[in-house]
Amino acid sequence: MAHAGLGARVRKFRELREVGIEELAERTGLAPELLRAVEEQDLYPSLGPLLRISRALGVRLGTFLDDQAGADPLIVRLAERHEDFSMHDRSGSPASTRYFSLGRGKTDRHMEPFFIELLPEEGEPALSSHEGEELLIVHAGRVEVRYGGERHELGPGDSIYYNSVVPHHVGALGTRKAGIYAVLYLPQ
């Protein structure tokens, strides 16, 4: 499972490129403490910081998520789908998003497809931004998308496609979990 290996993968690529934690912090604009937590505790920050780390090390984001290469076409059966990772908030406590990769094993991919389970959150959500584009399709439940200064409510079958450089947040609306399919395009 990819979750157990994120820290080791980041450390491997950082050491291969002879980049210290402080230099990686400088290249990414991330705190050295966060980078140490990623490497030592397999902490999954949001996609924005992970993308910054992958760019600073000259690898695609999927490099940190893949265990092995696979053949085309890649088929992920619902019964065989498993949680790959959960994102953490700034404090390191589990956030309310659980990611199930739909592209793991396809090493030449240019998109990152996921099924994402959104659990209800408390408090004001933090917005994030990163390069690329995102397409989200609501599968179940109600979803709130904050995009810049806008707020959108989506239900099953609804979709939203946006430029992810604009600060955004996607979360379950209300007290019930929601499920979405998401495809992220992250330019190299």
Side-chain angles (χ1 to χ4, degrees), residues 13-58:
F13 283 97
R14 182 178 59 75
E15 290 173 350
L16 279 172
R17 284 153 178 75
E18 299 179 350
V19 175
I21 288 281
E22 297 297 327
E23 183 179 346
L24 185 58
E26 193 174 299
R27 287 182 183 186
T28 61
L30 301 172
E33 298 77 25
L34 174 64
L35 296 171
R36 283 188 192 91
V38 168
E39 286 191 10
E40 297 168 10
Q41 302 165 17
D42 276 332
L43 173 78
Y44 272 82
S46 66
L47 288 176
L50 259 181
L51 182 59
R52 287 186 204 172
I53 293 168
S54 68
R55 298 225 179 216
L57 295 175

Side-chain angles (χ1 to χ4, degrees), residues 50-165:
L50 259 181
L51 182 59
R52 287 186 204 172
I53 293 168
S54 68
R55 298 225 179 216
L57 295 175
V59 298
R60 65 181 180 76
L61 177 65
T63 301
F64 296 140
L65 308 177
D66 293 338
D67 277 338
Q68 58 193 1
D72 271 343
L74 174 65
I75 297 174
V76 179
R77 303 276 181 208
L78 178 60
E80 298 166 358
R81 189 165 64 194
H82 63 277
E83 180 181 349
D84 283 281
F85 58 93
S86 293
M87 289 294 177
H88 293 74
D89 64 16
R90 290 183 182 100
S91 70
S93 61
S96 51
T97 51
R98 296 176 46 204
Y99 288 76
F100 300 78
S101 177
L102 302 177
R104 183 213 281 222
K106 183 164 176 41
T107 57
D108 61 343
R109 68 184 180 269
H110 299 283
M111 301 178 292
E112 293 294 338
F114 296 101
F115 177 77
I116 303 172
E117 189 175 82
L118 302 168
L119 303 173
E121 297 178 74
E122 292 183 18
E124 188 66 22
L127 301 179
S128 66
S129 67
H130 52 85
E131 290 183 59
E133 300 174 348
E134 296 182 27
L135 169 65
L136 310 178
I137 303 167
V138 178
H139 172 69
R142 304 281 306 158
V143 173
E144 177 184 65
V145 178
R146 293 190 184 195
Y147 184 76
E150 302 171 4
R151 183 180 168 278
H152 305 277
E153 292 185 19
L154 305 171
D158 293 344
S159 66
I160 185 170
Y161 183 8
Y162 55 85
N163 183 336
S164 48
V165 74

